[in-house]
Amino acid sequence: MPHLTCQLVRTPAELALCDALIIPGGESTTMALLARINGLLEPLKEYVKAKPVWGTCAGAILLAESIEGGKKGGQELLGGMSVKIGRNGFGSQIDSFEASLMFSSEAKTLTERSEEFIGVFIRAPVVLSVLDDPSRPTPHVLAKIAPQALPQSDGSVNVTNLQDDPRTIVALRQGNLVLTTFHPELTRDDRFHEYFVRDVVVPSLPTPSMT
């Protein structure tokens, strides 16, 4: 594993120093507005096309192709992932909750440990649909929650089998882009951080020259 350093990103110059990026939770509309004001929005849109990016909660919203429940006047997105996201899909702040995650067998780094992973969902978005876009890499589900943890349907998702409800998807990878609708950083379990570094970031790094 290579030595990694962290860099706060507020400007295009700081972004250019990074081999990968994590977009944290927060308020996605405000984040997009500040990125626009600081000349960072367009560089970010180009960055997600070429570099590993992980968006959590609000970051997941920004990586979506489209959203529902956006604020009046619309919201700028970075795009990059073939998903439609519902903002605050699990409700308001008082509806925040914790739930056990079920990992996909494809995410080997996440399944190397047998202990339960508890996801922390704070005013969390939901995946409303995974879009078909042959021009992009195939999306792969990394983790789901049980259908019983879902909010009562408002009609935005029409499924007959709750197991097929896209809202159960809480972690997804598409190429070098990863989204989680929960907050992995609020637990002591570092499996998602390890997964992003080992399985997404490191393989994307240039191979050191042997000369």
Side-chain angles (χ1 to χ4, degrees):
M1 185 79 70
H3 176 70
L4 301 176
T5 57
C6 296
Q7 164 75 51
L8 289 175
V9 174
R10 300 183 184 92
T11 67
E14 291 171 339
L15 179 65
L17 297 174
C18 299
D19 292 307
L21 181 70
I22 296 176
I23 305 176
E27 212 295 316
S28 59
T29 308
T30 301
M31 292 163 70
L33 178 60
L34 290 174
R36 170 66 72 186
I37 291 172
N38 289 287
L40 195 54
L41 192 65
E42 295 306 321
L44 281 169
K45 289 181 179 180
E46 292 303 312
Y47 192 94
V48 301
K49 297 176 183 178
K51 298 281 190 175
V53 179
W54 173 17
T56 70
C57 199
I61 294 171
L62 291 173
L63 290 178
E65 185 67 26
S66 64
I67 62 170
E68 276 192 7
K71 292 193 174 181
K72 186 177 181 181
Q75 176 176 342
E76 292 191 277
L77 304 171
L78 303 179
M81 299 195 72
S82 304
V83 294
K84 183 177 184 179
I85 294 271
R87 291 180 79 251
N88 303 332
F90 283 106
S92 63
Q93 197 82 15
I94 62 172
D95 299 306
S96 301
F97 66 99
E98 297 181 355
S100 176
L101 270 55
M102 301 177 291
F103 292 129
S104 164
S105 59
E106 294 184 17
K108 292 184 179 179
T109 299
L110 297 173
T111 59
E112 287 176 352
R113 286 184 256 166
S114 59
E115 61 265 32
E116 183 181 37
F117 188 103
I118 301 297
V120 180
F121 297 80
I122 301 176
R123 206 176 63 174
V126 293
V127 175
L128 295 176
S129 61
V130 179
L131 309 174
D132 183 20
D133 187 348
S135 68
R136 291 176 175 167
T138 301
H140 294 283
V141 174
L142 301 178
K144 290 185 172 186
I145 56 173
Q148 292 77 13
L150 293 175
Q152 186 173 356
S153 177
D154 59 2
S156 59
V157 176
N158 183 19
V159 293
T160 55
N161 184 352
L162 286 178
Q163 297 294 335
D164 297 327
D165 192 327
R167 296 177 303 162
T168 61
I169 300 171
V170 296
L172 190 75
R173 176 178 179 179
Q174 187 171 19
N176 282 336
L177 305 180
V178 176
L179 69 76
T180 52
T181 61
F182 57 97
H183 288 268
E185 76 281 5
L186 295 183
T187 75
R188 294 183 179 274
D189 195 320
D190 61 1
R191 266 177 283 183
F192 272 92
H193 296 80
E194 183 180 3
Y195 171 80
F196 183 61
V197 172
R198 281 178 52 182
D199 292 20
V200 186
V201 177
V202 171
S204 75
L205 298 175
T207 303
S209 173
M210 300 301 292
T211 57

